[in-house]
């Protein structure tokens, strides 16, 4: 981005006299002073700490201006300041202004699982024929989405935005912020069920992504999910469904899975084999969502084929990494919910292996009163004939430990507290060999990335 401060002041509704700074040029924005680039506008937000405390750090890192909440008396002297009623609302207003100025097509993506992978795939496919900006990492909330918008280069033609949700009304706000041309829901699972109570209510909240959908926009969703089909019936916009069932507009055929890749065909392009660099039928659905977008924007199938085969995936999403004992590590430590955990467990159990398979599962968070029952339900996805040992971490995983003991008392299972990750790492290093495979899966709050760091080959960093 590149805007003069006078333009930014008008966009955010500045309430101070900024005329002396009107010609200052801003080339980026940041709310973390440590990440600010020279020429940047600092956005001080209130979180665990008041961001206004770090304005000097922002200046030291090259800030040329800062927003400033009007109720704070001491603004920096002799430095460009835009006073606003609320810094976060000003950030959001600036993003809306900039979005209208650049005016790209917007693809918005949400779902209980797979939204980050789908975002990466959609962006890769579109980038074969358009200039694309996509959400970085998991910048998918009320702060992250505006920051994604403001990261666009002026030549951006397509903006691919991931949207997260942990409460009702959140997707309504984000959707109306960016006014998508295409809205995608990957699936309905149990993520955040602690706050919603039922999958029906999760589905209601996910459909909020359509609240800002343009009248001539398109709703793309997983047609295998009845809860989505029921709710989509009331939408006036055009709809495109994807999934494994032949009743969908776009469905897969001839799925072939390997340890590090999965290939498939799709009904719309029966002579083309698509390959994605990851395991699991569930990831085929994410690719189908990307192919649905490819169809909407007339991406040539050979371009989509190449893009999916070489997609740049956000790290810690079911990626294979080498371990320092020579073992293969399937790392999926960013988040976890029952649906996702079962899918990756089933896929992992089918990968070819010379040695043994080991599983490390951390607690799945935000499941509320149903947490123990949902943890215990993972036993149906663990085949004791294919796993040498299961390592469990967290208090809710005790329910799975009991379920596994009931299903097969001979399966080796060990349980660890969340404070015992170092011991877990040592125990794993003692049993792993160069022919083995190990799966790490858990919610980010369990911090299995610490175990991953202890196990993986540091020379591959």
């Amino acid at each position: 981005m590149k805007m003069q401060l006078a333009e930014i002041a008008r966009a955010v509704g500045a309430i101070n006299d900024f005329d002396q700074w009107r010609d200052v040029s801003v080339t980026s924005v940041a709310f973390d002073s440590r990440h600010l680039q020279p020429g940047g506008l600092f956005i001080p937000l209130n979180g665990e700490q008041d961001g206004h405390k770090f304005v000097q750090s922002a200046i030291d890192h090259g800030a040329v201006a800062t927003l400033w909440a009007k109720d704070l008396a001491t603004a920096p002297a002799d430095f460009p300041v835009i006073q606003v009623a609320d810094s976060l609302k000003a950030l959001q207003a600036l993003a809306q202004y900039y979005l209208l100025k650049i005016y790209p097509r917007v693809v918005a993506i949400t779902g209980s699982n797979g939204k980050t992978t789908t975002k990466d795939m959609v962006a890769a496919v579109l980038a074969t024929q358009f200039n694309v900006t996509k959400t970085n990492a998991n910048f998918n909330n009320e702060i992250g989405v505006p920051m994604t918008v403001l990261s666009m280069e002026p030549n951006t033609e397509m903006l691919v935005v991931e949207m997260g949700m942990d409460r009702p009304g959140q997707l309504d706000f984000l959707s109306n912020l960016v006014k998508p041309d295409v809205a995608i829901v990957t699936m309905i699972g149990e993520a955040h069920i602690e706050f919603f109570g039922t999958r029906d209510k999760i589905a209601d909240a996910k459909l909020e992504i359509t609240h800002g959908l343009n009248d001539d926009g398109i709703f793309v969703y997983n047609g295998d999910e009845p809860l989505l089909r029921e709710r989509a019936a009331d939408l006036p916009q055009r709809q495109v469904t994807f999934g494994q069932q032949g009743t969908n507009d776009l469905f897969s055929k001839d799925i072939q899975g390997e340890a590090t890749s999965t290939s498939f065909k799709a009904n719309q392009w029966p002579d083309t084999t698509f390959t994605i660099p990851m395991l699991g039928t569930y990831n085929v659905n994410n690719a189908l969502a990307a192919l649905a977008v490819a169809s909407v924007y007339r991406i040539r199938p050979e371009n989509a084929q190449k893009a999916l085969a070489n997609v740049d995936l956000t790290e810690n999403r079911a990626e294979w990494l080498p371990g320092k004992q020579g073992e293969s590590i399937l790392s999926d430590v960013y988040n976890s919910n029952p649906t996702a955990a079962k899918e990756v467990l089933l896929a992992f159990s089918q990968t070819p292996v010379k040695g043994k398979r080991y599983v490390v599962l951390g607690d799945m968070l935000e499941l509320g009163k149903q947490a123990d029952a949902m943890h215990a339900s993972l036993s149906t996805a663990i085949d004791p004939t294919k796993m040498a040992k299961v390592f469990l971490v967290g208090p809710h995983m005790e329910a799975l430990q009991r379920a596994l003991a009931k299903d097969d008392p001979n399966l080796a299972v060990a349980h660890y507290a969340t404070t015992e990750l170092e011991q877990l790492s040592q125990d794993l290093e003692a049993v792993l060999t160069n022919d083995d495979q190990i799966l790490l899966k858990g919610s980010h709050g369990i911090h299995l990335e610490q175990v991953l760091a202890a196990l993986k080959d540091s020379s591959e960093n």
Side-chain angles (χ1 to χ4, degrees), residues 162-275:
E162 178 183 333
M163 294 182 176
M165 178 201 79
D166 59 18
R167 62 187 182 279
Q170 189 172 21
L171 286 179
D172 172 81
F173 175 82
L174 295 175
S175 181
N176 279 293
L177 181 73
V178 302
K179 301 290 185 184
D181 299 283
V182 176
I184 301 174
V185 178
T186 61
M187 64 165 292
I188 303 298
E190 301 86 1
H192 308 303
I193 201 166
E194 176 182 7
F195 308 118
F196 294 93
T198 65
R199 290 182 73 249
D200 289 79
K201 291 182 179 179
I202 293 174
D204 290 337
K206 293 296 185 188
L207 261 289
E208 291 177 6
I209 197 172
T210 65
H211 289 186
L213 184 63
N214 289 326
D215 291 341
D216 60 350
I218 301 171
F219 180 41
V220 177
Y221 68 95
N222 188 328
D224 295 341
E225 174 54 74
L227 293 175
L228 289 175
R229 280 196 176 272
E230 292 169 7
R231 287 155 178 79
D234 297 327
L235 295 177
Q237 289 93 344
R238 176 186 163 194
Q239 298 170 26
V240 178
T241 61
F242 64 87
Q244 301 302 307
Q245 299 174 10
T247 53
N248 289 296
D249 298 311
L250 187 61
F251 58 89
S252 58
K253 304 185 296 181
D254 303 332
I255 298 176
Q256 301 290 327
E258 301 292 340
T260 59
S261 65
T262 306
S263 63
F264 65 96
K265 292 184 177 180
N267 60 302
Q268 289 190 20
W269 305 279
D271 298 326
T272 302
T273 298
F274 298 94
T275 301

Side-chain angles (χ1 to χ4, degrees), residues 356-359 383-390 410-413:
K356 299 177 180 179
R357 294 190 191 91
Y358 296 93
V359 173
D383 186 342
T385 67
K386 296 182 178 180
M387 306 298 175
K389 190 170 183 177
V390 178
N410 295 319
L411 177 63
V413 180

Side-chain angles (χ1 to χ4, degrees), residues 247-312:
T247 53
N248 289 296
D249 298 311
L250 187 61
F251 58 89
S252 58
K253 304 185 296 181
D254 303 332
I255 298 176
Q256 301 290 327
E258 301 292 340
T260 59
S261 65
T262 306
S263 63
F264 65 96
K265 292 184 177 180
N267 60 302
Q268 289 190 20
W269 305 279
D271 298 326
T272 302
T273 298
F274 298 94
T275 301
I276 54 176
M278 51 202 320
L279 84 165
T281 301
Y282 61 100
N283 280 313
V284 171
N285 274 354
N286 300 330
L288 288 173
L291 290 175
V293 176
S295 179
V296 167
Y297 288 109
R298 295 179 173 83
I299 302 296
R300 290 186 289 274
E302 60 270 23
N303 287 349
Q305 181 188 43
K306 184 177 180 180
L308 290 176
N310 298 284
V311 60
D312 183 16

Side-chain angles (χ1 to χ4, degrees), residues 41-112:
L41 171 69
F42 181 51
I43 314 287
L45 300 176
N46 290 325
E48 293 182 2
Q49 297 192 65
D50 183 354
H52 294 81
K53 296 179 181 178
F54 301 98
V55 66
Q56 185 57 54
S57 173
I59 294 171
D60 294 341
H61 282 82
V64 295
T66 184
L67 296 186
W68 198 263
K70 67 175 182 179
D71 55 349
L72 296 177
T74 310
D78 299 322
F79 185 75
V81 170
I82 299 177
Q83 282 196 316
V84 293
D86 182 288
S87 294
L88 177 57
K89 290 181 179 178
L91 169 65
Q92 294 160 349
L94 181 60
Q96 285 184 306
Y97 172 84
Y98 188 63
L99 186 62
L100 289 172
K101 182 176 181 177
I102 303 302
Y103 207 64
R105 296 294 181 93
V106 179
V107 180
I109 302 166
T110 195
S112 298

Side-chain angles (χ1 to χ4, degrees), residues 304-381:
Q305 181 188 43
K306 184 177 180 180
L308 290 176
N310 298 284
V311 60
D312 183 16
L313 295 166
T314 301
E315 65 180 9
N316 290 332
R317 265 69 174 186
E319 61 177 336
W320 286 101
L321 298 168
K324 58 187 178 184
Q325 308 291 339
E327 76 276 15
S328 297
I329 305 170
L330 181 57
S331 170
D332 198 354
V333 299
Y334 185 77
N335 58 27
S336 188
N337 59 64
T339 301
K342 289 175 184 176
E343 287 173 336
V344 75
L345 280 165
L346 290 171
F348 179 68
S349 69
Q350 296 166 9
T351 59
V353 61
K354 291 182 180 180
K356 299 177 180 179
R357 294 190 191 91
Y358 296 93
V359 173
V360 179
L361 297 174
D363 270 3
M364 302 175 291
L365 304 180
E366 299 180 351
L367 297 180
K369 296 179 180 179
Q370 304 176 56
D372 283 351
M374 288 187 174
H375 281 75
S377 74
L378 297 187
S379 64
T380 60

